[in-house]
Amino acid sequence: MLIGAQTWEFRSKPAIVGAATVVGPEEGGGPLGGTFDFVYDNLEIDEKTWEKAERKLLEHASALALVNAGIAREELSCFVGGDLMNQIISATFAARTIAAPYLGVFGACSTSMEGLALAALITDSGAGRYVMAGTASHNCTAEKQFRYPTEYGSQKPGTAQYTITGSGCAVVSSQGRGPRITHATIGRIQDLGVKDPFNMGAAMAPAAADTLVSHFRDTGRGPEDYDLIVTGDLASVGHAIVKDILAKDGVPMDKTEFNDCGLMIYDRGKQPFVMAGGSGCGCSAVVAYGSILQKLKNKELGRVLVVATGALLSPLSYQQGESIPCIAHAVALEKEESES
Amino acid sequence: MLIGAQTWEFRSKPAIVGAATVVGPEEGGGPLGGTFDFVYDNLEIDEKTWEKAERKLLEHASALALVNAGIAREELSCFVGGDLMNQIISATFAARTIAAPYLGVFGACSTSMEGLALAALITDSGAGRYVMAGTASHNCTAEKQFRYPTEYGSQKPGTAQYTITGSGCAVVSSQGRGPRITHATIGRIQDLGVKDPFNMGAAMAPAAADTLVSHFRDTGRGPEDYDLIVTGDLASVGHAIVKDILAKDGVPMDKTEFNDCGLMIYDRGKQPFVMAGGSGCGCSAVVAYGSILQKLKNKELGRVLVVATGALLSPLSYQQGESIPCIAHAVALEKEESES
């Protein structure tokens, strides 16, 4: 049910009954490498095109998520998927393989939490028994589509981010065991006029701040009510900005651990090619469904807020001189035996 | 709540409390011309680029839908939007103007009913008071992106369809008056291997048939329970095929009026440039939220099933030799004072 202006509270607190993450070699070599279900040793993911590689990541993660949830794909009431590709072809072709009723969504890198919020709503409202949310990104499909084919070897400024190669899927159900989904705050577009696609962290930071402030307002919670709050993929530039904005808004984030999936997934010292940090649809998905979910399961974390951020530009909108509209969707997760 | 394998039944039967349609000159000159809220007299929609034109259609229709619903945009709990553009920029930029919490969706030409189904679910489950679903397409943005810029004057086969220029938006609420949304059947991907983007009707027909058969199975209804069943945009080739498939499946469609939005929107005799008929995200939206909604309001129709079809290809997937995955989502509508 709606609480406040833009937050959904889920009565049944749907559980993530199974999830899986599959990544490429660079993510596997990063600090969270040990938390992923499968690490490919080649960026081609054993495929002939980058697009087929991205699709394979999603097909692989979705198959593993079903195994981890202990259900057959015929038991899925719905697959909610999306990705960064034009016409979200990775999700669509994966949905062909998954063969469940399919809802395609697009929120750029916020797709992970948009999908998880909808999956929770569908199962919470009784419109689905098991609903899977999933997304994927691949460094080379994103570079090719949004910037330049990697073969060009073009240079980038230090504010640029590195699209992660990976896919994360989660199976949600109102019945069953696992970390719980308690709330989702649906974001509104924020656009402060940033036009530089090599500085998406700065473009997205106001959206993350707006959704965080809205979440706290709607739920009556504050940063101190969470053991961990992570933004999706603001990376070093955007994450510093969102902290500044929140401090000015009177929401000091020093009372909790406040991090960013794009900063957590790589070691920028040892992996300097990631520039400001990670990004992409898969970024918040593989961090949330990997490391964070594991810490919720083993009770290392009690309550986590994942604020996935999305820069909703297209190469064409950029070329026509438009600014970058951004959005952020937040999902609140709890360890299983929480009192509240 | 879920009934059968893939149908949502809405307990509150959310009402479409207001809707609006805005189209271009060719749609305004077609047989449904008098049913639209606004007809532009120029294909440029008074804008400098085709993409800005498409966005303007959606901004215009969404503003009119709010007026027709009698609500301010601040009262919207959510806007569920999508379109055919890469990264659904028309919906996103319109969402910036609408300024409500925003969920981006993509189902190609099935986006209209995917959005309406989600809007109904959100309000039926109490997660939103007023939720708007909307989509748009423009002939020249689609031609430019999926085929060739219209300036090339390239020839097409007779199976090709003509993307309509227009936008339709509907405001849904569990409180309030208007035609009711009773069910939504979420489609599964169907892909029989058609690879020809100039014959999307043939590619999409099996998806329409699968969703229709699933809807009848899940609800226990048959074609005779509807006064009108319309497919989204199969046009002449695809609509003939879906009738064949259904006849072979033992679902004869001669017990009800069975039509197609892509056939209804143009007069193919007087408008031969539309080839097999209309298509595009806006096609089923402007027919459903225009003519059909008006006939439900004045009780000319009692119960209607809109089966919006989508061809989920991208130019890149086509160029890589992939077939065209297709989907169809069905939404059942009723006049206000229905007993059932």
Coordinates of all heavy atoms in Angstrom, one line a residue, chain B residues 132-222:
Chain B
M132 N -1.3 7.0 -13.9 CA -1.5 7.2 -15.3 C -0.6 6.3 -16.1 O 0.6 6.1 -15.8 CB -1.1 8.7 -15.7 CG -1.3 8.9 -17.2 SD -1.6 10.7 -17.5 CE 0.0 11.3 -17.0
A133 N -1.2 5.7 -17.2 CA -0.5 4.9 -18.1 C -0.5 5.6 -19.4 O -1.5 6.2 -19.8 CB -1.1 3.5 -18.3
G134 N 0.6 5.7 -20.1 CA 0.7 6.4 -21.4 C 1.8 6.0 -22.3 O 2.8 5.5 -21.9
T135 N 1.5 6.2 -23.6 CA 2.5 5.8 -24.6 C 2.3 6.7 -25.8 O 1.3 7.3 -26.0 CB 2.5 4.3 -24.9 OG1 3.6 4.0 -25.8 CG2 1.2 3.9 -25.5
A136 N 3.3 6.7 -26.7 CA 3.2 7.5 -27.9 C 4.1 6.8 -29.0 O 5.1 6.1 -28.7 CB 3.7 8.9 -27.6
S137 N 3.8 7.1 -30.2 CA 4.7 6.8 -31.3 C 4.5 7.8 -32.4 O 3.6 8.6 -32.4 CB 4.4 5.4 -31.9 OG 3.0 5.3 -32.3
H138 N 5.5 7.9 -33.2 CA 5.5 8.9 -34.3 C 6.0 8.1 -35.5 O 7.0 7.4 -35.5 CB 6.4 10.1 -34.0 CG 6.2 11.2 -35.0 ND1 6.6 11.1 -36.3 CD2 5.7 12.5 -34.8 CE1 6.3 12.3 -36.9 NE2 5.7 13.1 -36.0
N139 N 5.4 8.3 -36.6 CA 5.7 7.6 -37.9 C 7.2 7.8 -38.2 O 7.9 6.9 -38.5 CB 4.8 8.0 -39.0 CG 5.2 7.3 -40.3 OD1 6.0 7.7 -41.1 ND2 4.6 6.1 -40.5
C140 N 7.7 9.0 -38.1 CA 9.0 9.3 -38.6 C 10.1 9.0 -37.6 O 11.2 8.7 -38.1 CB 9.1 10.8 -39.0 SG 7.9 11.2 -40.3
T141 N 9.8 9.0 -36.3 CA 10.9 8.5 -35.4 C 11.1 7.0 -35.6 O 12.2 6.5 -35.6 CB 10.5 8.7 -33.9 OG1 9.3 8.1 -33.7 CG2 10.3 10.2 -33.6
A142 N 10.0 6.3 -35.8 CA 10.1 4.8 -35.9 C 10.7 4.5 -37.3 O 11.6 3.6 -37.3 CB 8.7 4.2 -35.9
E143 N 10.4 5.2 -38.3 CA 11.0 4.9 -39.6 C 12.5 5.1 -39.5 O 13.3 4.3 -40.0 CB 10.4 5.8 -40.7 CG 9.0 5.4 -41.1 CD 8.8 4.0 -41.7 OE1 9.7 3.6 -42.5 OE2 7.9 3.3 -41.3
K144 N 12.9 6.3 -38.9 CA 14.3 6.7 -38.8 C 15.1 5.6 -38.0 O 16.2 5.3 -38.4 CB 14.3 8.0 -38.2 CG 15.7 8.6 -37.9 CD 15.5 10.0 -37.3 CE 16.7 10.5 -36.5 NZ 16.4 11.8 -35.9
Q145 N 14.5 5.2 -36.9 CA 15.2 4.3 -36.0 C 15.2 2.9 -36.4 O 16.2 2.2 -36.4 CB 14.6 4.4 -34.6 CG 15.3 3.6 -33.6 CD 14.7 3.7 -32.2 OE1 15.0 4.7 -31.5 NE2 13.8 2.8 -31.9
F146 N 14.1 2.4 -36.9 CA 14.0 0.9 -37.2 C 14.2 0.6 -38.7 O 14.6 -0.5 -39.0 CB 12.6 0.4 -36.8 CG 12.3 0.3 -35.3 CD1 11.6 1.2 -34.7 CD2 12.9 -0.8 -34.6 CE1 11.4 1.1 -33.3 CE2 12.7 -0.9 -33.3 CZ 11.9 0.1 -32.6
R147 N 13.9 1.6 -39.5 CA 14.1 1.2 -41.0 C 15.0 2.3 -41.6 O 16.2 2.2 -41.4 CB 12.7 1.2 -41.6 CG 11.9 -0.1 -41.0 CD 10.5 -0.2 -41.4 NE 9.7 0.7 -40.5 CZ 9.0 0.3 -39.4 NH1 9.1 -0.9 -39.0 NH2 8.3 1.2 -38.7
Y148 N 14.4 3.2 -42.4 CA 15.3 4.2 -43.0 C 14.6 5.6 -42.8 O 13.4 5.6 -42.7 CB 15.3 4.0 -44.6 CG 16.0 2.7 -44.9 CD1 15.2 1.6 -45.3 CD2 17.3 2.5 -44.9 CE1 15.8 0.4 -45.6 CE2 17.9 1.3 -45.2 CZ 17.1 0.2 -45.5 OH 17.7 -1.0 -45.8
P149 N 15.4 6.6 -42.7 CA 14.8 8.0 -42.6 C 13.8 8.1 -43.8 O 14.1 7.7 -44.9 CB 16.0 8.9 -42.8 CG 17.2 8.1 -42.3 CD 16.9 6.7 -42.7
T150 N 12.7 8.7 -43.5 CA 11.7 8.8 -44.6 C 12.2 9.6 -45.8 O 11.7 9.5 -46.9 CB 10.4 9.6 -44.0 OG1 10.8 10.7 -43.2 CG2 9.6 8.6 -43.1
E151 N 13.1 10.5 -45.5 CA 13.7 11.3 -46.7 C 14.3 10.4 -47.8 O 14.4 10.9 -48.9 CB 14.7 12.3 -46.1 CG 14.2 13.4 -45.3 CD 14.0 13.0 -43.8 OE1 14.1 11.8 -43.5 OE2 13.7 13.9 -43.0
Y152 N 14.7 9.2 -47.4 CA 15.3 8.3 -48.4 C 14.2 7.9 -49.5 O 14.6 7.5 -50.6 CB 15.9 7.1 -47.8 CG 17.2 7.2 -47.0 CD1 17.6 8.5 -46.7 CD2 17.9 6.1 -46.7 CE1 18.8 8.6 -46.0 CE2 19.1 6.3 -46.0 CZ 19.5 7.5 -45.7 OH 20.7 7.6 -45.0
G153 N 13.0 7.9 -49.1 CA 11.9 7.4 -50.0 C 12.1 6.0 -50.4 O 11.7 5.6 -51.5
S154 N 12.6 5.1 -49.4 CA 12.8 3.7 -49.8 C 11.4 3.0 -49.9 O 10.4 3.4 -49.3 CB 13.6 3.0 -48.7 OG 13.0 3.2 -47.5
Q155 N 11.4 2.0 -50.8 CA 10.2 1.2 -51.1 C 10.0 0.1 -50.0 O 11.0 -0.3 -49.4 CB 10.3 0.6 -52.4 CG 10.1 1.7 -53.5 CD 10.1 1.1 -54.9 OE1 11.0 0.3 -55.3 NE2 9.1 1.4 -55.7
K156 N 8.8 -0.3 -49.9 CA 8.4 -1.3 -48.9 C 7.5 -2.4 -49.5 O 6.7 -2.0 -50.4 CB 7.7 -0.7 -47.7 CG 8.5 0.2 -46.9 CD 7.6 0.7 -45.8 CE 8.3 1.7 -44.9 NZ 7.5 2.2 -43.8
P157 N 7.6 -3.6 -49.0 CA 6.6 -4.6 -49.5 C 5.2 -4.3 -48.9 O 5.1 -3.6 -47.9 CB 7.2 -5.9 -48.9 CG 8.0 -5.5 -47.7 CD 8.5 -4.1 -48.0
G158 N 4.2 -5.0 -49.5 CA 2.8 -4.8 -49.0 C 2.5 -5.3 -47.6 O 1.5 -4.9 -47.0
T159 N 3.4 -6.1 -47.1 CA 3.2 -6.6 -45.7 C 3.6 -5.6 -44.6 O 3.4 -5.8 -43.5 CB 4.0 -7.9 -45.5 OG1 5.4 -7.6 -45.8 CG2 3.5 -9.0 -46.3
A160 N 4.3 -4.5 -45.1 CA 4.8 -3.5 -44.1 C 3.7 -2.8 -43.5 O 2.6 -2.6 -44.1 CB 5.8 -2.6 -44.8
Q161 N 3.9 -2.3 -42.3 CA 2.9 -1.5 -41.5 C 3.4 -0.1 -41.4 O 4.6 0.2 -41.5 CB 2.6 -2.2 -40.2 CG 1.9 -3.5 -40.4 CD 1.7 -4.3 -39.1 OE1 2.0 -5.4 -39.0 NE2 1.1 -3.6 -38.1
Y162 N 2.4 0.8 -41.0 CA 2.7 2.2 -41.0 C 2.5 2.6 -39.5 O 1.4 2.6 -38.9 CB 1.6 2.9 -41.8 CG 1.9 4.4 -42.1 CD1 2.8 4.7 -43.1 CD2 1.3 5.4 -41.4 CE1 3.1 6.1 -43.4 CE2 1.6 6.7 -41.6 CZ 2.5 7.0 -42.6 OH 2.7 8.4 -42.9
T163 N 3.6 3.0 -38.9 CA 3.6 3.4 -37.5 C 2.8 4.7 -37.3 O 3.0 5.7 -38.0 CB 5.0 3.8 -37.0 OG1 5.9 2.6 -37.2 CG2 5.0 4.1 -35.5
I164 N 1.8 4.6 -36.4 CA 0.9 5.8 -36.3 C 1.6 6.9 -35.5 O 2.5 6.6 -34.7 CB -0.4 5.4 -35.6 CG1 -0.2 5.2 -34.1 CG2 -1.1 4.1 -36.2 CD1 -1.1 6.2 -33.3
T165 N 1.1 8.1 -35.7 CA 1.6 9.3 -35.0 C 0.5 9.6 -34.0 O -0.6 10.0 -34.4 CB 1.8 10.4 -36.0 OG1 2.8 10.0 -36.9 CG2 2.2 11.7 -35.3
G166 N 0.8 9.4 -32.8 CA -0.2 9.7 -31.8 C 0.2 9.2 -30.4 O 1.1 8.5 -30.2
S167 N -0.6 9.7 -29.4 CA -0.3 9.3 -28.0 C -1.7 9.1 -27.3 O -2.6 9.9 -27.5 CB 0.5 10.4 -27.3 OG 0.5 10.1 -25.9
G168 N -1.7 8.1 -26.5 CA -2.9 7.9 -25.6 C -2.5 7.7 -24.2 O -1.5 7.0 -23.9
C169 N -3.2 8.4 -23.3 CA -2.9 8.3 -21.8 C -4.3 8.0 -21.1 O -5.3 8.5 -21.5 CB -2.3 9.6 -21.3 SG -0.7 9.9 -21.9
A170 N -4.2 7.2 -20.1 CA -5.4 6.9 -19.2 C -5.0 7.0 -17.8 O -4.0 6.6 -17.3 CB -5.9 5.5 -19.5
V171 N -5.9 7.7 -17.0 CA -5.7 7.8 -15.6 C -6.6 6.8 -14.9 O -7.8 6.8 -15.2 CB -6.0 9.2 -15.1 CG1 -5.9 9.3 -13.6 CG2 -5.2 10.3 -15.8
V172 N -6.0 6.0 -14.1 CA -6.7 4.8 -13.5 C -6.8 5.1 -12.0 O -5.9 5.5 -11.3 CB -5.9 3.5 -13.8 CG1 -6.6 2.3 -13.1 CG2 -5.8 3.3 -15.2
S173 N -8.0 4.7 -11.4 CA -8.1 4.8 -9.9 C -9.2 3.8 -9.4 O -10.1 3.5 -10.1 CB -8.6 6.2 -9.6 OG -8.7 6.3 -8.2
S174 N -8.9 3.3 -8.2 CA -9.9 2.4 -7.7 C -11.1 3.2 -7.1 O -12.2 2.6 -6.9 CB -9.3 1.6 -6.5 OG -8.4 0.7 -7.1
Q175 N -10.9 4.5 -6.9 CA -12.0 5.3 -6.6 C -12.4 6.1 -7.8 O -11.5 6.4 -8.6 CB -11.7 6.3 -5.4 CG -11.5 5.6 -4.1 CD -10.1 5.5 -3.7 OE1 -9.3 6.3 -3.9 NE2 -9.7 4.3 -3.1
G176 N -13.6 6.5 -8.0 CA -14.0 7.3 -9.1 C -14.8 6.5 -10.1 O -15.0 5.3 -10.0
R177 N -15.3 7.2 -11.1 CA -16.2 6.7 -12.1 C -15.5 6.5 -13.5 O -14.7 7.3 -13.8 CB -17.4 7.5 -12.2 CG -18.1 7.7 -10.8 CD -19.5 8.1 -11.0 NE -20.2 7.1 -11.8 CZ -21.5 7.0 -11.9 NH1 -22.3 7.9 -11.3 NH2 -22.1 6.0 -12.6
G178 N -16.1 5.6 -14.3 CA -15.5 5.4 -15.6 C -15.6 3.9 -15.9 O -15.8 3.1 -15.1
P179 N -15.2 3.6 -17.2 CA -15.2 2.2 -17.6 C -14.2 1.5 -16.7 O -13.2 2.0 -16.2 CB -14.7 2.3 -19.0 CG -15.1 3.6 -19.5 CD -15.0 4.5 -18.3
R180 N -14.4 0.2 -16.4 CA -13.7 -0.6 -15.4 C -12.7 -1.5 -16.0 O -12.9 -2.1 -17.1 CB -14.7 -1.4 -14.6 CG -15.7 -0.6 -13.8 CD -15.0 0.0 -12.6 NE -15.9 0.9 -11.9 CZ -15.5 1.5 -10.7 NH1 -14.4 1.2 -10.2 NH2 -16.3 2.4 -10.1
I181 N -11.6 -1.7 -15.3 CA -10.6 -2.7 -15.8 C -10.7 -3.9 -14.9 O -10.6 -3.8 -13.6 CB -9.1 -2.1 -15.6 CG1 -9.0 -0.8 -16.4 CG2 -8.1 -3.1 -16.0 CD1 -7.7 0.0 -16.0
T182 N -11.1 -5.0 -15.5 CA -11.4 -6.2 -14.6 C -10.3 -7.2 -14.6 O -10.0 -7.9 -13.6 CB -12.7 -6.9 -15.1 OG1 -12.5 -7.3 -16.5 CG2 -13.9 -5.9 -15.1
H183 N -9.6 -7.4 -15.7 CA -8.5 -8.4 -15.8 C -7.4 -7.9 -16.7 O -7.6 -7.1 -17.6 CB -9.1 -9.7 -16.5 CG -10.2 -10.4 -15.7 ND1 -11.5 -9.9 -15.9 CD2 -10.2 -11.4 -14.9 CE1 -12.3 -10.7 -15.1 NE2 -11.5 -11.6 -14.5
A184 N -6.2 -8.5 -16.5 CA -5.1 -8.3 -17.4 C -4.4 -9.7 -17.5 O -4.1 -10.4 -16.5 CB -4.1 -7.3 -16.9
T185 N -4.1 -10.1 -18.8 CA -3.4 -11.3 -19.0 C -2.0 -10.9 -19.5 O -1.9 -10.3 -20.6 CB -4.1 -12.2 -20.0 OG1 -5.4 -12.5 -19.5 CG2 -3.4 -13.5 -20.3
I186 N -1.0 -11.3 -18.8 CA 0.4 -10.9 -19.1 C 1.0 -12.0 -20.1 O 0.9 -13.2 -19.8 CB 1.3 -10.9 -17.8 CG1 0.6 -9.9 -16.8 CG2 2.7 -10.4 -18.2 CD1 0.3 -8.5 -17.3
G187 N 1.5 -11.5 -21.2 CA 1.9 -12.4 -22.2 C 3.3 -13.0 -22.0 O 4.1 -12.6 -21.2
R188 N 3.5 -14.1 -22.7 CA 4.8 -14.8 -22.8 C 5.4 -14.6 -24.2 O 4.6 -14.4 -25.2 CB 4.6 -16.3 -22.6 CG 4.1 -16.6 -21.2 CD 3.8 -18.1 -21.1 NE 2.8 -18.5 -22.1 CZ 2.2 -19.7 -22.1 NH1 2.6 -20.7 -21.2 NH2 1.3 -20.1 -23.0
I189 N 6.7 -14.6 -24.3 CA 7.4 -14.4 -25.5 C 7.0 -15.5 -26.5 O 7.1 -16.7 -26.1 CB 8.9 -14.3 -25.4 CG1 9.3 -13.2 -24.5 CG2 9.6 -14.2 -26.8 CD1 9.3 -11.8 -25.1
Q190 N 6.6 -15.2 -27.7 CA 6.4 -16.2 -28.8 C 7.4 -15.8 -29.9 O 7.4 -14.7 -30.3 CB 5.0 -16.2 -29.2 CG 3.9 -16.4 -28.2 CD 4.0 -17.8 -27.6 OE1 4.1 -18.8 -28.3 NE2 4.0 -17.9 -26.3
D191 N 8.0 -16.8 -30.4 CA 9.0 -16.5 -31.5 C 9.0 -17.8 -32.4 O 9.6 -18.8 -32.1 CB 10.4 -16.3 -30.9 CG 11.4 -15.9 -31.9 OD1 11.1 -16.1 -33.1 OD2 12.4 -15.3 -31.6
L192 N 8.3 -17.6 -33.5 CA 8.3 -18.8 -34.4 C 9.3 -18.7 -35.6 O 9.3 -19.4 -36.5 CB 6.9 -18.9 -35.0 CG 5.9 -19.8 -34.2 CD1 5.7 -19.3 -32.8 CD2 4.6 -20.1 -35.0
G193 N 10.3 -17.7 -35.4 CA 11.4 -17.7 -36.3 C 11.3 -16.6 -37.4 O 12.1 -16.6 -38.3
V194 N 10.2 -15.8 -37.4 CA 10.1 -14.8 -38.4 C 11.2 -13.8 -38.2 O 11.4 -13.3 -37.1 CB 8.7 -14.1 -38.4 CG1 8.6 -12.9 -39.3 CG2 7.6 -15.1 -38.7
K195 N 11.9 -13.4 -39.3 CA 13.0 -12.5 -39.2 C 12.8 -11.2 -40.0 O 13.7 -10.4 -40.1 CB 14.3 -13.2 -39.7 CG 14.8 -14.3 -38.9 CD 16.1 -14.9 -39.3 CE 16.6 -15.9 -38.4 NZ 18.0 -16.4 -38.7
D196 N 11.6 -11.1 -40.7 CA 11.4 -10.0 -41.6 C 10.7 -8.8 -40.9 O 9.6 -8.9 -40.6 CB 10.5 -10.5 -42.8 CG 10.2 -9.4 -43.8 OD1 10.7 -8.3 -43.6 OD2 9.5 -9.7 -44.7
P197 N 11.5 -7.7 -40.7 CA 10.9 -6.6 -40.0 C 9.8 -5.9 -40.8 O 9.1 -5.0 -40.3 CB 12.1 -5.6 -39.7 CG 13.1 -6.0 -40.6 CD 12.9 -7.5 -41.0
F198 N 9.7 -6.2 -42.1 CA 8.6 -5.7 -42.9 C 7.4 -6.6 -42.9 O 6.5 -6.4 -43.7 CB 9.1 -5.5 -44.3 CG 10.1 -4.3 -44.4 CD1 11.4 -4.5 -44.7 CD2 9.7 -3.0 -44.2 CE1 12.3 -3.5 -44.8 CE2 10.6 -1.9 -44.3 CZ 11.9 -2.2 -44.6
N199 N 7.4 -7.6 -42.0 CA 6.2 -8.4 -41.8 C 6.0 -8.7 -40.4 O 6.0 -9.8 -39.9 CB 6.3 -9.7 -42.7 CG 5.0 -10.4 -42.8 OD1 4.0 -10.0 -42.2 ND2 5.0 -11.5 -43.5
M200 N 5.8 -7.6 -39.6 CA 5.7 -7.8 -38.1 C 4.4 -8.4 -37.7 O 4.3 -9.0 -36.7 CB 6.0 -6.5 -37.5 CG 7.5 -6.1 -37.7 SD 8.2 -5.0 -36.4 CE 7.3 -3.5 -36.9
G201 N 3.4 -8.2 -38.6 CA 2.1 -8.7 -38.3 C 2.1 -10.3 -38.2 O 1.6 -10.9 -37.2
A202 N 2.9 -10.9 -39.1 CA 3.0 -12.3 -39.1 C 3.8 -12.8 -37.9 O 3.5 -13.8 -37.3 CB 3.7 -12.8 -40.4
A203 N 4.8 -12.0 -37.6 CA 5.7 -12.3 -36.4 C 4.8 -12.3 -35.1 O 5.0 -13.1 -34.2 CB 6.9 -11.4 -36.3
M204 N 4.0 -11.3 -35.0 CA 3.2 -11.0 -33.7 C 2.0 -11.9 -33.6 O 1.5 -12.1 -32.5 CB 2.8 -9.6 -33.6 CG 4.0 -8.6 -33.5 SD 3.5 -6.9 -33.1 CE 2.8 -6.4 -34.6
A205 N 1.5 -12.4 -34.7 CA 0.2 -13.1 -34.6 C 0.2 -14.3 -33.6 O -0.8 -14.4 -32.8 CB -0.2 -13.6 -36.0
P206 N 1.3 -15.1 -33.5 CA 1.2 -16.2 -32.6 C 1.2 -15.7 -31.1 O 0.6 -16.4 -30.2 CB 2.6 -17.0 -32.8 CG 2.9 -16.6 -34.3 CD 2.4 -15.2 -34.4
A207 N 1.8 -14.5 -30.8 CA 1.7 -14.0 -29.5 C 0.3 -13.6 -29.1 O -0.2 -13.8 -28.0 CB 2.7 -12.8 -29.4
A208 N -0.4 -13.0 -30.1 CA -1.8 -12.6 -29.8 C -2.6 -13.8 -29.6 O -3.4 -13.8 -28.7 CB -2.3 -11.8 -31.0
A209 N -2.4 -14.8 -30.4 CA -3.2 -16.1 -30.2 C -2.9 -16.7 -28.9 O -3.8 -17.1 -28.1 CB -2.9 -17.1 -31.3
D210 N -1.6 -16.8 -28.5 CA -1.3 -17.4 -27.2 C -1.9 -16.6 -26.0 O -2.4 -17.3 -25.1 CB 0.3 -17.4 -27.0 CG 0.7 -18.1 -25.8 OD1 0.6 -19.3 -25.7 OD2 1.1 -17.4 -24.8
T211 N -1.9 -15.3 -26.1 CA -2.5 -14.5 -25.0 C -4.0 -14.7 -24.9 O -4.6 -14.8 -23.9 CB -2.0 -13.1 -25.1 OG1 -0.6 -13.0 -24.9 CG2 -2.7 -12.2 -24.0
L212 N -4.6 -14.7 -26.1 CA -6.1 -14.9 -26.1 C -6.5 -16.2 -25.6 O -7.4 -16.3 -24.7 CB -6.6 -14.8 -27.6 CG -6.9 -13.4 -28.1 CD1 -7.0 -13.3 -29.6 CD2 -8.2 -12.9 -27.4
V213 N -5.8 -17.3 -26.0 CA -6.1 -18.6 -25.5 C -5.8 -18.7 -24.0 O -6.6 -19.2 -23.2 CB -5.2 -19.7 -26.2 CG1 -5.3 -21.0 -25.6 CG2 -5.7 -19.8 -27.7
S214 N -4.7 -18.1 -23.5 CA -4.4 -18.1 -22.1 C -5.5 -17.3 -21.3 O -5.9 -17.7 -20.2 CB -3.1 -17.4 -21.9 OG -2.1 -18.1 -22.6
H215 N -5.9 -16.2 -21.9 CA -7.0 -15.4 -21.2 C -8.3 -16.2 -21.0 O -8.9 -16.2 -20.0 CB -7.2 -14.1 -22.0 CG -8.3 -13.2 -21.4 ND1 -8.1 -12.4 -20.3 CD2 -9.6 -13.1 -21.7 CE1 -9.2 -11.8 -20.0 NE2 -10.1 -12.2 -20.8
F216 N -8.7 -16.8 -22.1 CA -9.9 -17.6 -22.0 C -9.7 -18.8 -21.1 O -10.6 -19.1 -20.3 CB -10.3 -18.2 -23.4 CG -10.6 -17.1 -24.4 CD1 -10.2 -17.1 -25.7 CD2 -11.4 -15.9 -24.0 CE1 -10.6 -16.1 -26.6 CE2 -11.7 -14.9 -24.9 CZ -11.3 -15.0 -26.2
R217 N -8.6 -19.4 -21.1 CA -8.3 -20.5 -20.1 C -8.3 -20.1 -18.7 O -9.0 -20.7 -17.8 CB -6.9 -21.2 -20.5 CG -6.5 -22.3 -19.6 CD -5.0 -22.5 -19.7 NE -4.3 -21.3 -19.1 CZ -3.1 -20.8 -19.6 NH1 -2.5 -21.3 -20.6 NH2 -2.6 -19.7 -19.0
D218 N -7.7 -19.0 -18.4 CA -7.5 -18.5 -17.0 C -8.9 -18.0 -16.5 O -9.1 -18.1 -15.3 CB -6.5 -17.4 -17.0 CG -5.1 -17.9 -17.1 OD1 -4.8 -19.1 -17.1 OD2 -4.2 -17.0 -17.3
T219 N -9.6 -17.3 -17.3 CA -10.9 -16.7 -16.9 C -12.1 -17.5 -17.0 O -13.2 -17.2 -16.4 CB -11.1 -15.4 -17.6 OG1 -11.3 -15.7 -19.0 CG2 -10.0 -14.3 -17.4
G220 N -12.0 -18.6 -17.8 CA -13.2 -19.4 -18.1 C -14.1 -18.7 -19.0 O -15.3 -19.2 -19.2
R221 N -13.7 -17.6 -19.6 CA -14.5 -16.9 -20.6 C -14.2 -17.4 -22.0 O -13.2 -18.1 -22.2 CB -14.2 -15.4 -20.5 CG -14.7 -14.8 -19.2 CD -14.4 -13.3 -19.3 NE -14.9 -12.6 -18.1 CZ -14.7 -11.3 -17.9 NH1 -14.1 -10.5 -18.7 NH2 -15.2 -10.8 -16.8
G222 N -15.1 -17.0 -22.9 CA -14.8 -17.3 -24.3 C -15.0 -16.1 -25.1 O -15.4 -15.0 -24.6

